[in-house]
Amino acid sequence: VDLVLSCVDNYAARMTINQACNELGQMWLESGVSENAVSSHIQTMIPGRYACFDCAPPAVVASGGDENAIKREGVCAASLPTTMGITAGLLAQATLKHLLKFGTVSNFLGYDALGDFFPSYGMAPNPECSSRYCRLRQEDWQDRPEEMMERYGLSEEKTSDDTGTMELHPDNEWGIVVEDASNGAVEESPKDEVVDTQGASVADLMASLKSLGAQ
């Protein structure tokens, strides 16, 4: 198995995949959509290299609460197909970049639909992670970094402020290139824009979409 893709919708299922991949040392890509359906993320999970789900559990779990409280009954994160489609596209793109050996794959890539914002950052593993297998994989990376880089098909990281982005497969046997169409023009930094939903809920947004389709 080269890569495992996770598209589950609850914490318990993610923890099951997390445990299995930690034990096997299996790289996987995780994805998820928030309950309000207007934000999402994809996350590259390399056991011992990046934080796993046991490294940084949700506040409810960390405080000893009921993990079932994380997902509220009757709330479905798949309320807006556009958010789901964009997230699926990001997940597929990251998969292709890894398997076809081109470009970079971020440790964590988020999507904020209301602000058109794509945050990206790295998350280091917790040395005191509750998962024994995660701690063992961390030791593997400390003791045999070159071997582990080769095992997961990774090249040396670029020197950058973004520690969560690394260059994957610089050989680029498929000849895929990214060109700059700006002609050297320097773009001004976009100003923060506040989106006013006028108090509309997800249900209101869905109703508006349905009414447009009926016209």
Side-chain angles (χ1 to χ4, degrees):
V1 177
D2 295 310
L3 192 64
V4 171
L5 303 184
S6 168
C7 308
V8 297
D9 66 350
N10 62 82
Y11 178 73
R14 287 182 172 89
M15 287 301 295
T16 300
I17 299 173
N18 183 77
Q19 180 178 349
C21 289
N22 275 346
E23 291 183 18
L24 298 173
Q26 173 66 56
M27 178 178 176
W28 59 297
L29 293 179
E30 195 275 328
S31 61
V33 175
S34 63
E35 287 187 350
N36 63 12
V38 290
S39 64
S40 63
H41 73 276
I42 63 171
Q43 187 172 349
T44 304
M45 312 291 283
I46 301 179
R49 180 67 169 176
Y50 298 135
C52 74
F53 274 90
D54 279 310
C55 286
V60 173
V61 176
S63 61
D66 183 5
E67 67 181 44
N68 293 322
I70 297 174
K71 182 172 178 60
R72 293 176 294 174
E73 184 178 357
V75 176
C76 178
S79 298
L80 287 178
T82 48
T83 304
M84 297 296 291
I86 290 171
T87 307
L90 293 174
L91 181 64
Q93 185 80 311
T95 301
L96 288 175
K97 287 194 290 184
H98 176 70
L99 296 179
L100 300 183
K101 305 179 181 180
F102 73 94
T104 59
V105 178
S106 298
N107 177 198
F108 181 94
L109 177 63
Y111 170 55
D112 173 14
L114 293 182
D116 289 337
F117 180 51
F118 292 85
S120 178
Y121 49 83
M123 292 188 290
N126 180 2
E128 300 179 357
C129 179
S130 60
S131 169
R132 179 171 69 91
Y133 289 101
C134 177
R135 298 195 304 273
L136 290 175
R137 299 292 86 81
Q138 291 182 52
E139 292 177 4
D140 291 339
W141 277 97
Q142 293 172 1
D143 298 339
R144 307 188 305 277
E146 294 182 359
E147 177 184 331
M148 299 301 287
M149 292 288 283
E150 182 178 356
R151 172 179 177 178
Y152 292 104
L154 308 177
S155 66
E156 293 295 331
E157 292 186 349
K158 297 178 179 179
T159 302
S160 170
D161 292 334
D162 181 9
T163 58
T165 302
M166 64 173 62
E167 184 179 4
L168 295 182
H169 322 293
D171 295 339
N172 191 16
E173 62 180 288
W174 295 83
I176 298 175
V177 297
V178 178
E179 297 182 352
D180 183 5
S182 63
N183 296 323
V186 179
E187 298 183 1
E188 295 183 0
S189 301
K191 297 181 179 179
D192 292 337
E193 182 178 353
V194 178
V195 179
D196 183 9
T197 62
Q198 298 180 350
S201 64
V202 173
D204 295 331
L205 294 174
M206 288 298 297
S208 298
L209 287 174
K210 291 180 180 179
S211 64
L212 289 174
Q215 292 179 357

